[in-house]
C-alpha cells in the first residue's frame, strides 16, 4: 500500500489520483506521522460497499434463522396469494 503525507496530497493531488486510478491500490494519508485517511478508487469503494451490504443481509438472515423468525415457503405463498386476491377485489 502506498503511503502519502497530507502535504504531498495537497501539492500533488492530480498526480496521486492518476496513480491511484492506474494502480487501484489504496493510498494511506498520514498527518503528523499518524494514519489519517485512506484514498480509494471510486469503483473499488462502491464494490466494497455492495459487498458489505450483502454480508450484512446474510448476517441478518442467519440471525433470523437462529431466532426462528422464519416462515415456510407454503405460508409465504399463501400469504401472497391472499394479498393478491384482496388487491384484485
Amino acid at each position: 500500500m502506498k503511503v502519502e503525507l497530507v502535504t504531498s496530497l495537497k501539492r500533488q493531488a492530480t498526480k496521486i489520483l492518476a496513480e491511484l486510478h492506474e494502480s487501484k491500490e489504496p493510498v494511506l494519508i498520514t498527518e503528523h506521522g499518524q494514519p489519517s485517511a485512506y484514498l480509494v478508487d471510486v469503483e473499488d469503494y462502491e464494490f466494497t460497499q455492495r459487498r458489505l451490504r450483502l454480508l450484512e443481509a446474510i448476517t441478518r438472515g442467519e440471525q433470523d434463522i437462529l431466532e426462528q423468525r422464519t416462515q415456510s415457503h407454503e405460508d409465504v405463498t399463501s400469504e401472497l396469494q391472499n394479498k393478491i386476491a384482496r388487491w384484485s377485489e
Side-chain angles (χ1 to χ4, degrees):
M1 176 181 318
K2 187 172 180 180
V3 178
E4 291 285 350
L5 301 171
V6 71
T7 54
S8 297
L9 179 61
K10 290 176 184 178
R11 291 184 193 133
Q12 301 175 339
T14 303
K15 176 183 172 261
I16 292 170
L17 286 173
E19 291 171 357
L20 170 70
H21 293 310
E22 185 176 319
S23 71
K24 303 289 186 186
E25 182 181 4
V27 178
L28 176 60
I29 306 300
T30 61
E31 286 184 288
H32 310 293
Q34 298 296 315
S36 180
Y38 284 103
L39 188 59
V40 296
D41 182 74
V42 170
E43 289 177 10
D44 291 339
Y45 175 81
E46 290 173 351
F47 176 78
T48 300
Q49 291 301 303
R50 285 192 305 271
R51 180 181 280 178
L52 182 58
R53 284 192 300 273
L54 178 59
L55 290 173
E56 289 170 346
I58 290 169
T59 300
R60 283 192 309 272
E62 289 175 335
Q63 191 64 36
D64 286 344
I65 291 168
L66 289 173
E67 295 176 9
Q68 297 180 345
R69 291 190 309 245
T70 61
Q71 290 182 296
S72 70
H73 180 266
E74 293 79 16
D75 289 346
V76 172
T77 301
S78 175
E79 188 176 320
L80 287 173
Q81 287 173 340
N82 289 337
K83 285 182 181 184
I84 290 170
R86 284 195 303 266
W87 291 336
S88 299
E89 295 175 350

